[in-house]
Amino acid sequence: MNYKKNKIELEENGYSVLADLYSDNELSEILACIENAEQDGNSFMKTKDLFAIRQLIKNVPELSSLLFNRKLIDLISNLSESQYFLTKAIYFDKPSESNWFVAYHQDLSISVNQKADLENYVNWTFKKGQFGVQPPIEILKDTITIRIHLDKTDKNNGALKVIPKSHLNGIIRADSKDWNLENEFICEVEKGGVMLMKPLTLHASNRTTNGKKRRVIHLEFNRHNLTEPLAWLEHYGIKKASTQQFV
């Protein structure tokens, strides 16, 4: 399949939406893997408003071959000629009764293996046993986010809202006047589809109002090594062969 249109949309607008990357059978297998995973340790978070699994591939390794089907591998190959690798994988389940919303923001933090005093690595955090940091902007600009939708998602169950082209303005202060809601676009995604996004794209999500789930697998890809001694907390190279998707 030719993903040229999606590549152009991603670069120009900061997002793009695709349908039919996963069949119903593939989705059932993915959900079965997640449901059968042992839910303990810092990587698992469960509240009445959210269930999440961080470091998803590490905690549920059986998912690797299911997520990286031929369509997703072809998509990644078409988005860039560079050799990208997986740097973050999270499962989100926004339950049907969730009253949780997220205000407009950019995804500015990456997960790393340790803390180090380095130029242009700022705003350090330590949550759930892992370090986060805001890296040099070149790394954020080259990040590609792929959100796999396990449920049909629309404005009534937390579909992401974005400000098109906002990623072109670099890092935007929360109180900045460089953006407005007049250009807001709601990224509705069919079950089995994906949303592509640049992390510098301003995005938000509303509370669920229709009583339906919104289960998403959030993947981030990059092509840069970090300044030593830092390394990505998650680093999975993507192979083309269908038998083993990671190295």
Side-chain angles (χ1 to χ4, degrees), residues 2-147:
N2 188 340
Y3 296 104
K4 183 177 180 180
K5 171 178 174 288
N6 303 103
K7 179 181 179 180
I8 293 172
E9 287 179 349
L10 179 64
E11 294 297 331
E12 292 186 352
N13 296 324
Y15 69 94
S16 185
V17 174
L18 300 82
D20 300 324
L21 257 74
Y22 296 89
S23 67
D24 286 343
N25 285 339
E26 287 174 317
L27 294 176
S28 295
E29 290 185 62
I30 289 169
L31 286 168
C33 264
I34 292 169
E35 289 164 4
N36 292 330
E38 292 186 16
Q39 297 179 13
D40 57 7
N42 284 336
S43 295
F44 294 83
M45 181 177 74
K46 193 164 189 176
T47 69
K48 65 182 180 65
D49 285 330
L50 177 68
F51 173 54
I53 307 174
R54 295 180 176 86
Q55 298 187 59
L56 184 61
I57 301 303
K58 175 183 175 182
N59 286 291
V60 194
E62 300 84 2
L63 278 175
S64 62
S65 59
L66 299 175
L67 295 179
F68 282 77
N69 63 9
R70 188 164 300 281
K71 286 184 178 180
L72 185 64
I73 292 173
D74 286 347
L75 171 61
I76 296 167
S77 298
N78 278 274
L79 291 177
S80 176
E81 295 178 358
S82 300
Q83 189 67 40
Y84 271 70
F85 47 87
L86 181 68
T87 62
K88 185 178 289 186
I90 309 174
Y91 169 73
F92 291 109
D93 178 0
K94 195 172 187 178
S96 56
E97 67 276 11
S98 175
N99 200 34
W100 171 61
F101 76 99
V102 179
Y104 269 103
H105 66 286
Q106 298 170 300
D107 291 339
L108 301 179
S109 182
I110 63 171
S111 299
V112 294
N113 64 328
Q114 61 179 292
K115 186 173 182 179
D117 184 15
L118 295 170
E119 187 177 4
N120 297 321
Y121 287 83
V122 298
N123 299 329
W124 285 90
T125 61
F126 185 72
K127 298 177 182 177
K128 299 290 184 179
Q130 63 185 50
F131 289 101
V133 66
Q134 182 179 317
I137 193 169
E138 291 77 16
I139 291 175
L140 295 175
K141 286 181 176 179
D142 278 343
T143 299
I144 297 173
T145 298
I146 299 181
R147 293 167 56 89

Side-chain angles (χ1 to χ4, degrees), residues 161 182 210 245:
K161 305 179 295 183
E182 293 177 7
N210 64 358
Q245 310 299 356

Side-chain angles (χ1 to χ4, degrees), residues 178-236:
D178 291 342
W179 59 279
N180 61 70
L181 297 180
E182 293 177 7
N183 297 325
E184 179 180 273
F185 181 81
I186 299 174
C187 296
E188 299 191 340
V189 186
E190 293 295 326
K191 177 181 178 181
V194 304
M195 176 186 173
L196 311 177
M197 189 177 72
K198 292 285 190 175
L200 293 178
T201 302
L202 283 162
H203 57 286
S205 66
N206 288 339
R207 297 177 175 90
T208 297
T209 60
N210 64 358
K212 295 183 178 179
K213 281 180 170 285
R214 189 207 70 176
R215 293 169 293 185
V216 172
I217 293 176
H218 174 108
L219 306 176
E220 293 181 14
F221 300 86
N222 208 287
R223 62 186 181 89
H224 294 281
N225 291 320
L226 304 179
T227 304
E228 292 184 350
L230 287 188
W232 296 94
L233 181 63
E234 300 167 73
H235 187 301
Y236 298 94

